[in-house]
Amino acid sequence: MNNNKSQRFARVISTIYIPPTFTLVSFIFLSLTFEGNISAKISVIAIASFFGVILQIASFIYFYRKGIVSDVDVKIKDERTLPYFVSIIIFTTGFILLLIFKVSSISIVFWFCYISNTFLVILINKYMKISIHVMGISGPLALFIFLFGFKMFIFSPILVLVAWSRIKLKCHSLVEVVAGGLLGFISVYFQLSLFFK
């Protein structure tokens, strides 16, 4: 694969696997598997779709069009802080709604991980531009491994592919993608273990 083709392939991968992608996949799975009634199932999917995907993407588009972030990959570290704070506000609103609708504890705790992890990223962002794309894969991977065991590592090639795409596009260094993968996985697995074990 020549360089131009590999660059285009990396862009496709990076676009498909934006962080909201596996947010939606994860909560659709949790809804269909753990919610006891149709109302709760619909609530989880609707909240994940609106607060985990639509508003997250819409806020980024707003920041991009207003010039608050200078490129689609937000390569400048300091430009990431405001979008992260807005993400926390959006996630917190969704969290409150999940509590109001009394959905399953696994859905609530996993959603809380998005809030706490974004706080961690804000702190780390002062020193390192950690990869949110990779965290967006490693966090859900931790969820599925927590639920079904280490056989779920079968999906780890997706994590590696996304990490490669971010390095190929010169958005992150190897250290930044590894840090994103470790933080997303360890933080989510630890929080789930803390609440459920």
Side-chain angles (χ1 to χ4, degrees):
M1 187 182 294
N2 64 40
N3 190 57
N4 286 337
K5 287 183 178 179
S6 63
Q7 284 280 348
R8 287 196 295 269
F9 180 64
R11 176 55 63 191
V12 169
I13 294 300
S14 188
T15 302
I16 291 173
Y17 293 111
I18 56 174
T21 299
F22 268 84
T23 302
L24 185 59
V25 169
S26 299
F27 281 98
I28 288 175
F29 170 80
L30 291 177
S31 168
L32 298 178
T33 306
F34 293 100
E35 301 304 331
N37 58 70
I38 191 65
S39 176
K41 292 180 190 296
I42 292 172
S43 296
V44 169
I45 293 174
I47 290 168
S49 298
F50 190 66
F51 294 95
V53 180
I54 295 171
L55 284 186
Q56 300 290 344
I57 294 174
S59 65
F60 177 80
I61 291 172
Y62 173 82
F63 289 134
Y64 180 66
R65 289 185 174 176
K66 290 293 182 180
I68 296 170
V69 298
S70 53
D71 65 273
V72 295
D73 294 306
V74 200
K75 291 179 181 177
I76 299 173
K77 178 170 64 68
D78 293 339
E79 292 182 351
R80 294 179 165 224
T81 303
L82 179 59
Y84 289 153
F85 274 116
V86 171
S87 287
I88 287 175
I89 293 170
I90 294 170
F91 282 134
T92 301
T93 306
F95 180 74
I96 292 168
L97 289 173
L98 290 174
L99 292 174
I100 290 172
F101 285 104
K102 298 179 180 179
V103 303
S104 68
S105 56
I106 186 69
S107 294
I108 290 171
V109 172
F110 186 56
W111 189 273
F112 179 79
C113 290
Y114 280 85
I115 300 171
S116 59
N117 282 1
T118 308
F119 269 116
L120 289 175
V121 168
I122 289 173
L123 296 175
I124 293 170
N125 194 61
K126 295 179 180 179
Y127 312 100
M128 179 191 297
K129 189 184 65 177
I130 197 167
S131 176
I132 302 302
H133 270 73
V134 176
M135 281 188 72
I137 307 294
S138 64
L141 181 61
L143 168 71
F144 288 110
I145 288 175
F146 178 81
L147 293 173
F148 302 112
F150 287 96
K151 62 186 177 183
M152 290 293 104
F153 265 124
I154 192 173
F155 294 108
S156 60
I158 298 174
L159 180 67
V160 174
L161 188 60
V162 172
W164 167 82
S165 75
R166 302 306 287 167
I167 295 171
K168 182 67 177 178
L169 294 171
K170 295 181 169 42
C171 301
H172 293 284
S173 66
L174 177 61
V175 170
E176 289 168 345
V177 298
V178 170
L182 290 174
L183 178 65
F185 186 90
I186 293 171
S187 176
V188 169
Y189 198 90
F190 172 77
Q191 290 179 79
L192 291 173
S193 299
L194 189 65
F195 279 98
F196 293 108
K197 288 188 177 180

